[in-house]
């Protein structure tokens, strides 16, 4: 079992940057896939970025070139660096860990003002 705690959300102006962190309650070394998802009001939860245990990454088309996902196994933490933020990036951002079970964090709000 693993618990995930997101942090780093907040209010930022368009064009600004934020870095989200997802701290896991145990080692993430053996967790095959970790990722970030987001959910805007009235919309479904969508993939933003994922990273495998081997370091391979995949991004939603809407964030390619602006967002970067990374993982620090020594700190049991996954990060999402978000640059050139747009109002349409406003959402609650969730961290996910995929083992034999899906684990989700509680989410962190990101609001981008125009």
């Amino acid at each position: 079992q693993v618990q995930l705690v997101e942090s780093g959300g907040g209010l930022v102006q368009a064009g600004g940057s934020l870095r989200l962190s997802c701290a896991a309650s145990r080692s993430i070394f053996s967790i095959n896939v970790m990722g970030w998802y987001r959910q805007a009001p009235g919309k479904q939860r969508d993939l933003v970025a994922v990273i495998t245990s081997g370091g391979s990454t995949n991004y939603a088309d809407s964030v390619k070139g602006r967002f970067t996902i990374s993982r620090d196994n020594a700190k049991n933490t996954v990060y999402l660096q978000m640059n050139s933020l747009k109002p349409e990036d406003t959402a609650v951002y969730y961290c996910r860990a995929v083992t034999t079970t899906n684990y989700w964090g509680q989410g962190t709000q990101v609001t981008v003002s125009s």
Side-chain angles (χ1 to χ4, degrees):
Q1 189 172 3
V2 58
Q3 294 177 328
L4 305 171
V5 179
E6 301 98 334
S7 61
L11 174 64
V12 64
Q13 289 187 333
S17 298
L18 285 174
R19 187 176 82 154
L20 305 183
S21 299
C22 171
S25 60
R26 67 162 179 83
S27 172
I28 65 171
F29 181 80
S30 62
I31 296 179
N32 291 332
V33 179
M34 295 197 70
W36 288 95
Y37 293 71
R38 67 187 181 187
Q39 188 168 18
K43 296 188 177 181
Q44 66 180 20
R45 189 173 299 185
D46 292 325
L47 179 146
V48 175
V50 293
I51 185 167
T52 70
S53 56
S56 298
T57 58
N58 191 35
Y59 296 90
D61 287 342
S62 60
V63 306
K64 283 181 181 177
R66 300 188 297 123
F67 291 10
T68 303
I69 188 171
S70 61
R71 61 193 288 168
D72 186 335
N73 290 338
K75 295 183 178 180
N76 300 330
T77 302
V78 175
Y79 302 98
L80 185 68
Q81 178 66 45
M82 306 187 295
N83 299 327
S84 302
L85 283 160
K86 303 175 181 180
E88 51 263 44
D89 294 318
T90 295
V92 178
Y93 284 70
Y94 297 91
C95 180
R96 179 190 185 195
V98 181
T99 61
T100 56
T101 305
N102 280 321
Y103 297 97
W104 293 91
Q106 83 289 347
T108 184
Q109 175 71 47
V110 171
T111 303
V112 184
S113 63
S114 57

